[in-house]
mmCIF file with all atom_site columns, all heavy atoms in Angstrom:
data_model
loop_
_atom_site.group_PDB
_atom_site.id
_atom_site.type_symbol
_atom_site.label_atom_id
_atom_site.label_alt_id
_atom_site.label_comp_id
_atom_site.label_asym_id
_atom_site.label_entity_id
_atom_site.label_seq_id
_atom_site.pdbx_PDB_ins_code
_atom_site.Cartn_x
_atom_site.Cartn_y
_atom_site.Cartn_z
_atom_site.occupancy
_atom_site.B_iso_or_equiv
_atom_site.pdbx_formal_charge
_atom_site.auth_seq_id
_atom_site.auth_comp_id
_atom_site.auth_asym_id
_atom_site.auth_atom_id
_atom_site.pdbx_PDB_model_num
ATOM 1  N N   . ILE O 1 151 ? -40.128 99.787  -119.358 1.00 0.00 ? 151 ILE O N   1
ATOM 2  C CA  . ILE O 1 151 ? -39.222 99.006  -118.501 1.00 0.00 ? 151 ILE O CA  1
ATOM 3  C C   . ILE O 1 151 ? -39.882 97.672  -118.071 1.00 0.00 ? 151 ILE O C   1
ATOM 4  O O   . ILE O 1 151 ? -39.288 96.607  -118.201 1.00 0.00 ? 151 ILE O O   1
ATOM 5  C CB  . ILE O 1 151 ? -38.785 99.810  -117.289 1.00 0.00 ? 151 ILE O CB  1
ATOM 6  C CG1 . ILE O 1 151 ? -37.899 100.989 -117.720 1.00 0.00 ? 151 ILE O CG1 1
ATOM 7  C CG2 . ILE O 1 151 ? -38.016 98.928  -116.303 1.00 0.00 ? 151 ILE O CG2 1
ATOM 8  C CD1 . ILE O 1 151 ? -37.538 101.917 -116.601 1.00 0.00 ? 151 ILE O CD1 1
ATOM 9  N N   . VAL O 1 152 ? -41.120 97.766  -117.567 1.00 0.00 ? 152 VAL O N   1
ATOM 10 C CA  . VAL O 1 152 ? -41.743 96.554  -117.017 1.00 0.00 ? 152 VAL O CA  1
ATOM 11 C C   . VAL O 1 152 ? -42.082 95.520  -118.077 1.00 0.00 ? 152 VAL O C   1
ATOM 12 O O   . VAL O 1 152 ? -42.276 94.349  -117.795 1.00 0.00 ? 152 VAL O O   1
ATOM 13 C CB  . VAL O 1 152 ? -43.005 96.882  -116.168 1.00 0.00 ? 152 VAL O CB  1
ATOM 14 C CG1 . VAL O 1 152 ? -42.664 97.761  -114.999 1.00 0.00 ? 152 VAL O CG1 1
ATOM 15 C CG2 . VAL O 1 152 ? -44.089 97.508  -117.045 1.00 0.00 ? 152 VAL O CG2 1
ATOM 16 N N   . SER O 1 153 ? -42.198 95.978  -119.337 1.00 0.00 ? 153 SER O N   1
ATOM 17 C CA  . SER O 1 153 ? -42.482 95.033  -120.400 1.00 0.00 ? 153 SER O CA  1
ATOM 18 C C   . SER O 1 153 ? -41.286 94.129  -120.699 1.00 0.00 ? 153 SER O C   1
ATOM 19 O O   . SER O 1 153 ? -41.410 93.152  -121.434 1.00 0.00 ? 153 SER O O   1
ATOM 20 C CB  . SER O 1 153 ? -42.904 95.775  -121.696 1.00 0.00 ? 153 SER O CB  1
ATOM 21 O OG  . SER O 1 153 ? -41.857 96.567  -122.176 1.00 0.00 ? 153 SER O OG  1
ATOM 22 N N   . ASN O 1 154 ? -40.148 94.478  -120.101 1.00 0.00 ? 154 ASN O N   1
ATOM 23 C CA  . ASN O 1 154 ? -38.914 93.730  -120.374 1.00 0.00 ? 154 ASN O CA  1
ATOM 24 C C   . ASN O 1 154 ? -38.323 93.097  -119.128 1.00 0.00 ? 154 ASN O C   1
ATOM 25 O O   . ASN O 1 154 ? -37.191 92.610  -119.159 1.00 0.00 ? 154 ASN O O   1
ATOM 26 C CB  . ASN O 1 154 ? -37.886 94.624  -121.034 1.00 0.00 ? 154 ASN O CB  1
ATOM 27 C CG  . ASN O 1 154 ? -38.258 95.033  -122.454 1.00 0.00 ? 154 ASN O CG  1
ATOM 28 O OD1 . ASN O 1 154 ? -37.999 94.296  -123.388 1.00 0.00 ? 154 ASN O OD1 1
ATOM 29 N ND2 . ASN O 1 154 ? -38.931 96.171  -122.579 1.00 0.00 ? 154 ASN O ND2 1
ATOM 30 N N   . ILE O 1 155 ? -39.081 93.119  -118.020 1.00 0.00 ? 155 ILE O N   1
ATOM 31 C CA  . ILE O 1 155 ? -38.602 92.438  -116.819 1.00 0.00 ? 155 ILE O CA  1
ATOM 32 C C   . ILE O 1 155 ? -39.679 91.454  -116.375 1.00 0.00 ? 155 ILE O C   1
ATOM 33 O O   . ILE O 1 155 ? -40.848 91.642  -116.633 1.00 0.00 ? 155 ILE O O   1
ATOM 34 C CB  . ILE O 1 155 ? -38.284 93.417  -115.698 1.00 0.00 ? 155 ILE O CB  1
ATOM 35 C CG1 . ILE O 1 155 ? -39.496 94.266  -115.304 1.00 0.00 ? 155 ILE O CG1 1
ATOM 36 C CG2 . ILE O 1 155 ? -37.111 94.317  -116.084 1.00 0.00 ? 155 ILE O CG2 1
ATOM 37 C CD1 . ILE O 1 155 ? -39.252 95.205  -114.164 1.00 0.00 ? 155 ILE O CD1 1
ATOM 38 N N   . ARG O 1 156 ? -39.258 90.383  -115.686 1.00 0.00 ? 156 ARG O N   1
ATOM 39 C CA  . ARG O 1 156 ? -40.173 89.331  -115.284 1.00 0.00 ? 156 ARG O CA  1
ATOM 40 C C   . ARG O 1 156 ? -40.458 89.308  -113.778 1.00 0.00 ? 156 ARG O C   1
ATOM 41 O O   . ARG O 1 156 ? -41.373 88.645  -113.335 1.00 0.00 ? 156 ARG O O   1
ATOM 42 C CB  . ARG O 1 156 ? -39.625 87.981  -115.727 1.00 0.00 ? 156 ARG O CB  1
ATOM 43 C CG  . ARG O 1 156 ? -39.490 87.875  -117.243 1.00 0.00 ? 156 ARG O CG  1
ATOM 44 C CD  . ARG O 1 156 ? -39.015 86.491  -117.663 1.00 0.00 ? 156 ARG O CD  1
ATOM 45 N NE  . ARG O 1 156 ? -38.837 86.394  -119.096 1.00 0.00 ? 156 ARG O NE  1
ATOM 46 C CZ  . ARG O 1 156 ? -39.792 86.149  -119.985 1.00 0.00 ? 156 ARG O CZ  1
ATOM 47 N NH1 . ARG O 1 156 ? -41.060 85.997  -119.558 1.00 0.00 ? 156 ARG O NH1 1
ATOM 48 N NH2 . ARG O 1 156 ? -39.560 86.066  -121.278 1.00 0.00 ? 156 ARG O NH2 1
ATOM 49 N N   . SER O 1 157 ? -39.645 90.000  -112.997 1.00 0.00 ? 157 SER O N   1
ATOM 50 C CA  . SER O 1 157 ? -39.789 89.970  -111.542 1.00 0.00 ? 157 SER O CA  1
ATOM 51 C C   . SER O 1 157 ? -41.016 90.769  -111.119 1.00 0.00 ? 157 SER O C   1
ATOM 52 O O   . SER O 1 157 ? -41.075 91.999  -111.301 1.00 0.00 ? 157 SER O O   1
ATOM 53 C CB  . SER O 1 157 ? -38.549 90.545  -110.886 1.00 0.00 ? 157 SER O CB  1
ATOM 54 O OG  . SER O 1 157 ? -38.742 90.723  -109.504 1.00 0.00 ? 157 SER O OG  1
ATOM 55 N N   . LEU O 1 158 ? -41.999 90.088  -110.549 1.00 0.00 ? 158 LEU O N   1
ATOM 56 C CA  . LEU O 1 158 ? -43.222 90.768  -110.090 1.00 0.00 ? 158 LEU O CA  1
ATOM 57 C C   . LEU O 1 158 ? -42.952 91.775  -108.967 1.00 0.00 ? 158 LEU O C   1
ATOM 58 O O   . LEU O 1 158 ? -43.467 92.890  -109.017 1.00 0.00 ? 158 LEU O O   1
ATOM 59 C CB  . LEU O 1 158 ? -44.260 89.739  -109.642 1.00 0.00 ? 158 LEU O CB  1
ATOM 60 C CG  . LEU O 1 158 ? -45.598 90.320  -109.124 1.00 0.00 ? 158 LEU O CG  1
ATOM 61 C CD1 . LEU O 1 158 ? -46.282 91.148  -110.230 1.00 0.00 ? 158 LEU O CD1 1
ATOM 62 C CD2 . LEU O 1 158 ? -46.526 89.200  -108.675 1.00 0.00 ? 158 LEU O CD2 1
ATOM 63 N N   . PRO O 1 159 ? -42.129 91.440  -107.939 1.00 0.00 ? 159 PRO O N   1
ATOM 64 C CA  . PRO O 1 159 ? -41.838 92.412  -106.906 1.00 0.00 ? 159 PRO O CA  1
ATOM 65 C C   . PRO O 1 159 ? -41.204 93.678  -107.468 1.00 0.00 ? 159 PRO O C   1
ATOM 66 O O   . PRO O 1 159 ? -41.510 94.773  -106.997 1.00 0.00 ? 159 PRO O O   1
ATOM 67 C CB  . PRO O 1 159 ? -40.870 91.651  -105.980 1.00 0.00 ? 159 PRO O CB  1
ATOM 68 C CG  . PRO O 1 159 ? -41.197 90.238  -106.192 1.00 0.00 ? 159 PRO O CG  1
ATOM 69 C CD  . PRO O 1 159 ? -41.552 90.098  -107.633 1.00 0.00 ? 159 PRO O CD  1
ATOM 70 N N   . LEU O 1 160 ? -40.308 93.516  -108.437 1.00 0.00 ? 160 LEU O N   1
ATOM 71 C CA  . LEU O 1 160 ? -39.645 94.685  -109.047 1.00 0.00 ? 160 LEU O CA  1
ATOM 72 C C   . LEU O 1 160 ? -40.679 95.533  -109.819 1.00 0.00 ? 160 LEU O C   1
ATOM 73 O O   . LEU O 1 160 ? -40.632 96.763  -109.754 1.00 0.00 ? 160 LEU O O   1
ATOM 74 C CB  . LEU O 1 160 ? -38.530 94.236  -109.970 1.00 0.00 ? 160 LEU O CB  1
ATOM 75 C CG  . LEU O 1 160 ? -37.719 95.355  -110.633 1.00 0.00 ? 160 LEU O CG  1
ATOM 76 C CD1 . LEU O 1 160 ? -37.140 96.313  -109.595 1.00 0.00 ? 160 LEU O CD1 1
ATOM 77 C CD2 . LEU O 1 160 ? -36.628 94.795  -111.528 1.00 0.00 ? 160 LEU O CD2 1
ATOM 78 N N   . LYS O 1 161 ? -41.603 94.879  -110.516 1.00 0.00 ? 161 LYS O N   1
ATOM 79 C CA  . LYS O 1 161 ? -42.634 95.604  -111.212 1.00 0.00 ? 161 LYS O CA  1
ATOM 80 C C   . LYS O 1 161 ? -43.501 96.412  -110.263 1.00 0.00 ? 161 LYS O C   1
ATOM 81 O O   . LYS O 1 161 ? -43.836 97.574  -110.529 1.00 0.00 ? 161 LYS O O   1
ATOM 82 C CB  . LYS O 1 161 ? -43.521 94.622  -112.021 1.00 0.00 ? 161 LYS O CB  1
ATOM 83 C CG  . LYS O 1 161 ? -42.837 94.010  -113.226 1.00 0.00 ? 161 LYS O CG  1
ATOM 84 C CD  . LYS O 1 161 ? -43.802 93.080  -113.969 1.00 0.00 ? 161 LYS O CD  1
ATOM 85 C CE  . LYS O 1 161 ? -43.158 92.492  -115.214 1.00 0.00 ? 161 LYS O CE  1
ATOM 86 N NZ  . LYS O 1 161 ? -44.082 91.627  -115.964 1.00 0.00 ? 161 LYS O NZ  1
ATOM 87 N N   . ARG O 1 217 ? -38.768 88.987  -128.656 1.00 0.00 ? 217 ARG O N   1
ATOM 88 C CA  . ARG O 1 217 ? -38.739 87.649  -128.100 1.00 0.00 ? 217 ARG O CA  1
ATOM 89 C C   . ARG O 1 217 ? -38.675 86.589  -129.215 1.00 0.00 ? 217 ARG O C   1
ATOM 90 O O   . ARG O 1 217 ? -38.017 85.568  -129.073 1.00 0.00 ? 217 ARG O O   1
ATOM 91 C CB  . ARG O 1 217 ? -39.934 87.434  -127.199 1.00 0.00 ? 217 ARG O CB  1
ATOM 92 C CG  . ARG O 1 217 ? -39.842 88.212  -125.883 1.00 0.00 ? 217 ARG O CG  1
ATOM 93 C CD  . ARG O 1 217 ? -41.084 88.065  -125.043 1.00 0.00 ? 217 ARG O CD  1
ATOM 94 N NE  . ARG O 1 217 ? -40.969 88.820  -123.793 1.00 0.00 ? 217 ARG O NE  1
ATOM 95 C CZ  . ARG O 1 217 ? -41.948 88.973  -122.929 1.00 0.00 ? 217 ARG O CZ  1
ATOM 96 N NH1 . ARG O 1 217 ? -43.128 88.429  -123.142 1.00 0.00 ? 217 ARG O NH1 1
ATOM 97 N NH2 . ARG O 1 217 ? -41.749 89.691  -121.831 1.00 0.00 ? 217 ARG O NH2 1
#
Side-chain angles (χ1 to χ4, degrees):
I151 293 174
V152 299
S153 64
N154 290 275
I155 59 177
R156 299 184 182 277
S157 171
L158 180 59
L160 182 56
K161 288 182 179 182
R217 288 176 179 173

